Amino acid sequence: NAGVTQTPKFQVLKTGQSMTLQCAQDMNHEYMSWYRQDPGMGLRLIHYSVGAGITDQGEVPNGYNVSRSTTEDFPLRLLSAAPSQTSVYFCASRDKNTEAFFGQGTRLTVV
Amino acid sequence: SQQGEEDPQALSIQEGENATMNCSYKTSINNLQWYRQNSGRGLVHLILIRSNEREKHSGRLRVTLDTSKKSSSLLITASRAADTASYSCATGNSGTYKYIFGTGTRLKVLA
């Protein structure tokens, strides 16, 4: 049982490049979310999904796209990376009104 | 804006002492959770308390919830150096599917 798996763990991008952060869970959870964490701040919600085919925006959605074609996968896409997107990204999954399970994070640097 | 606000932002205590952290929130909730995060790692769920509960225990952890004051506290008894981490509260808000995190309390337990 792997839980929530995020890849890659580290990434360096140049401004303007695009990339996809991968997130997969094997717990059959309905709800999946992406957060970013900046130094000295708590987790901020980027996008979330309540099931396959259903996504919605969180607190800081600009510059990010998501899709949820399967229950297991919830990729986060940066279409044109900016230095302001330098952060640590966490994916989480859960069932309704239960605790969230987090991946180990992706440390992204945009230069 | 952050839903949960932890207090204090940082706390330093001696091993064996108790540590108390507080969380305040703004809107109606279904539940409130506490998480622990070691430096550079993902968050780990500690305890979830539902809006109709007032107190919950798990090992050396005690969580209280006062919905009239929109606040919660996390007590760690007989702290150990291994408890050194950041502790965050998250709220599951009524009427939405979002879990919103606070900024966290950085706890340092000195051996």
Side-chain angles (χ1 to χ4, degrees), chain B residues 11-69:
Chain B
L11 181 61
S12 185
I13 60 173
Q14 295 292 324
E15 204 167 30
E17 294 181 337
N18 295 341
T20 300
M21 290 157 269
N22 303 296
C23 169
S24 60
Y25 57 92
K26 299 173 183 174
T27 63
S28 296
I29 62 171
N30 290 324
N31 61 69
L32 185 144
Q33 313 124 54
W34 284 91
Y35 291 83
R36 166 195 170 121
Q37 184 180 27
N38 289 88
S39 180
R41 305 293 297 274
L43 280 76
V44 175
H45 175 258
L46 296 175
I47 199 163
L48 181 150
I49 186 166
R50 303 197 186 279
S51 59
N52 61 352
E53 298 175 312
R54 292 297 167 258
E55 187 171 314
K56 211 163 181 181
H57 296 256
S58 177
R60 293 184 296 114
L61 306 179
R62 173 179 170 254
V63 168
T64 61
L65 178 64
D66 187 335
T67 52
S68 66
K69 296 181 179 179

Side-chain angles (χ1 to χ4, degrees), chain A:
Chain A
N1 190 342
V4 179
T5 303
Q6 284 184 240
T7 56
K9 291 184 180 179
F10 301 94
Q11 183 71 49
V12 179
L13 290 179
K14 293 182 179 179
T15 298
Q17 284 185 317
S18 64
M19 80 158 296
T20 299
L21 307 185
Q22 302 291 344
C23 177
Q25 53 97 3
D26 61 1
M27 297 172 282
N28 202 33
H29 286 162
E30 290 183 87
Y31 296 76
M32 296 186 75
S33 304
W34 276 103
Y35 294 87
R36 61 177 287 174
Q37 186 175 37
D38 300 304
M41 298 187 70
L43 273 68
R44 290 187 291 169
L45 182 64
I46 304 171
H47 285 285
Y48 64 101
S49 169
V50 300
I54 307 170
T55 64
D56 206 348
Q57 297 181 347
E59 303 168 273
V60 288
N62 293 339
Y64 308 94
N65 282 347
V66 292
S67 60
R68 184 96 179 271
S69 57
T70 67
T71 299
E72 294 79 18
D73 300 298
F74 191 43
L76 178 72
R77 282 183 287 276
L78 285 71
L79 298 179
S80 179
S84 61
Q85 294 178 304
T86 293
S87 189
V88 181
Y89 291 83
F90 290 100
C91 178
S93 77
R94 62 180 173 91
D95 281 325
K96 187 177 181 181
N97 292 331
T98 64
E99 70 269 26
F101 293 82
F102 283 83
Q104 288 302 301
T106 296
R107 189 173 296 273
L108 175 67
T109 302
V110 182
V111 298

